[in-house]
Amino acid sequence: MADCRSYSHGVEHSDDQQPLPEVLVLDRPAIFAFHEKKFEKKFHLLKAWESSLPMEEFLKNHARSVKAILCSFRTRIRADVLNLLPSVELIACESTGVENIDLVECRKRGIIVTNAASAFVEDVADMAIGLLLSVLMKIPAADRDVRFKLWPKNMTFPVGHFKLREKQIGVVGLGNIGLQVAKRLEAFDCSISYTSRKEKLSSYKYYPNIQELALHCKILIICCALTEQTHHIINRNIMEALGKDGIVINIGRGPLIDEKELVKCLVEGKIGGAGLDVFEEEPCVPKELFELDNVVLTPHRAGFTEQAFFDDFQLLVGNIESVFSTTKSLILPLPNSTLPSW
Amino acid sequence: MADCRSYSHGVEHSDDQQPLPEVLVLDRPAIFAFHEKKFEKKFHLLKAWESSLPMEEFLKNHARSVKAILCSFRTRIRADVLNLLPSVELIACESTGVENIDLVECRKRGIIVTNAASAFVEDVADMAIGLLLSVLMKIPAADRDVRFKLWPKNMTFPVGHFKLREKQIGVVGLGNIGLQVAKRLEAFDCSISYTSRKEKLSSYKYYPNIQELALHCKILIICCALTEQTHHIINRNIMEALGKDGIVINIGRGPLIDEKELVKCLVEGKIGGAGLDVFEEEPCVPKELFELDNVVLTPHRAGFTEQAFFDDFQLLVGNIESVFSTTKSLILPLPNSTLPSW
């Protein structure tokens, strides 16, 4: 029973010889690339993916008394998992998006869900602008040309799509990230409008209907949360409304766009370009996109800077510690567990 | 004498049968990719590179009465060329930088020099930000990884250098482009300082000494004109002052940086990254740079958008027409032909 030993409770102790509190981790979070050891100094981590047991058996045998779960952005938690974890009080997500957590079920059971709050907000917004400028000016395509020594042969390298100045930009989802994206684009003398579940207090023009927004814009930047309502919010109609020069930037979640239709629209020239950090079936990326110079592809890394992970680490630790402490309180729960804003 | 015939004077006529005014073009301007035909409707273009004659003979035989020259950003005009062109009144450059024109010699001879003025300013500033974000977030490297199908194997893709927010950014040359770069970076909550030949009216902190600027900054954005004073303004000392996380962005001219030392500093890890649109010996790029993921390389294309070229076209036509007209006046000469601001 090597497996049992390696997950026996209370083996690790803190410096003052108190056993470390147990935290369940179902799959490896991205933040472990930087802070795994520091988490291990604070908590006894039950790493489900290191066990040879099937998940259900592992949870039954080792996690029934677990009060806190640390989730990667991929960790899926539904009623079936929660049924095996009767003691859970907190689900702490490393990411901003919590679309893989069944928030309704958590609320029913009185389980608190927390996310990365503002830890990644500015860096994700920076990435949105980086992707937009990369698509507009074909920076990765130009960089490939130079590295493949095509410059001397190809002096008429294609120019940028169009001036960014004075362009109409549509922000889809004016939450924390959308607001930071809009603020940055104002400095490029762009005109900002947005759609969102409801009108926000802002000076930007609001379109309740995304089709209307797309008709008035050259560029759409997708910043909203993935929910049942926003799944495939960018479909063929929206892309056709955006038009053949139109550009779509997605730093939200892959399923916000109907990816098959996006690929068709790009291949058929129905839209002008796309900057995509997220995809419907990560890490799979439609191979048709690899041939296109008006597309920029990054592997779900928006906001991944050392400093953002450090902020996230502090937030996660603070939230998890609050479960085991009578003096510390939660840093920041999700404002409304059933309705993520977009 | 096929060559002579193809360059015989006054063959082309305007719609009202007036012979088109002659304009000398020494090498093919980038703007011809878009507007060559439109230039040909307005002027009889003497295209030196299409002649089989050696340049000197071509100029002696066909260009002695030429009043206007249209220059590419590569066209080199010194006293030896001007000696063969006694009638020249105007040199109209397609680019912002006029480092290949001997401005002192032009002033002596009463020749007016014009440049692209503000036609490319915003787009070049956009490119500076695009290069910076591309380096910071390794966007072209990430795009290559996705296209080479490395994502599933490489889930720990390296994260971005650091948060842009609250970083100290040094703008080298606070002219039109530098000001637009600074304005954009303020929206990313960066702190801007600059060096320039002299202090400008601005709220940004001024360092008369570039070494001091580099010591206080993480990022240098090179926006100044290339002159004798600014040649190799970024040398090894400056890069070492910037430090191992430091990033250099160059959207000015290649020789503003000591390229050999830049390559060494990048290879040795003395600085953290570079975004380069310009190089010392274009179109040659040091091959050591091709191996580096913290470097983004574009083939001297900052500001090349269709709209910028259209603005430039109108400016060039207006300036050239003023030479042949008694009613039209020059749109914009260089403010001071001997001292380009930086």
Side-chain angles (χ1 to χ4, degrees), chain A residues 115-134:
Chain A
N115 72 348
S118 62
F120 295 100
V121 165
E122 283 120 6
D123 293 318
V124 172
D126 288 355
M127 184 68 158
I129 309 299
L131 281 173
L132 173 58
L133 292 170
S134 291

Side-chain angles (χ1 to χ4, degrees), chain A residues 200-324:
Chain A
K200 306 283 172 91
L201 272 176
S202 96
S203 60
Y204 308 127
K205 183 164 173 53
Y206 174 60
Y207 288 92
N209 180 314
I210 189 169
Q211 179 102 10
E212 283 293 310
L213 180 75
L215 278 169
H216 285 86
C217 290
K218 277 251 186 192
I219 294 163
L220 287 183
I221 305 196
I222 321 300
C223 307
C224 59
L226 176 62
T227 66
E228 275 177 30
Q229 289 72 42
T230 61
H231 184 265
H232 283 196
I233 189 171
I234 307 296
N235 57 30
R236 189 174 184 96
N237 287 342
I238 302 303
M239 289 184 268
E240 286 183 348
L242 197 60
K244 69 182 178 52
D245 289 332
I247 291 173
V248 174
I249 303 296
N250 190 3
I251 43 84
R253 286 290 183 265
L256 292 166
I257 302 184
D258 184 337
E259 196 169 88
K260 276 188 192 160
E261 290 301 330
L262 172 70
V263 169
K264 278 190 211 165
C265 285
L266 284 164
V267 170
E268 294 166 9
K270 300 283 184 199
I271 62 169
L276 307 170
D277 184 57
V278 287
F279 304 88
E280 282 212 71
E281 302 288 344
E282 295 170 8
C284 297
V285 178
K287 65 179 190 310
E288 296 90 335
L289 299 179
F290 299 159
E291 303 303 314
L292 303 177
D293 274 354
N294 54 345
V295 172
V296 177
L297 309 164
T298 53
H300 199 144
R301 288 297 179 274
F304 281 25
T305 65
E306 281 190 38
Q307 285 169 50
F309 275 122
F310 182 72
D311 292 347
D312 196 27
F313 168 74
Q314 291 191 302
L315 187 63
L316 286 164
V317 167
N319 281 333
I320 295 171
E321 281 181 340
S322 75
V323 174
F324 304 105

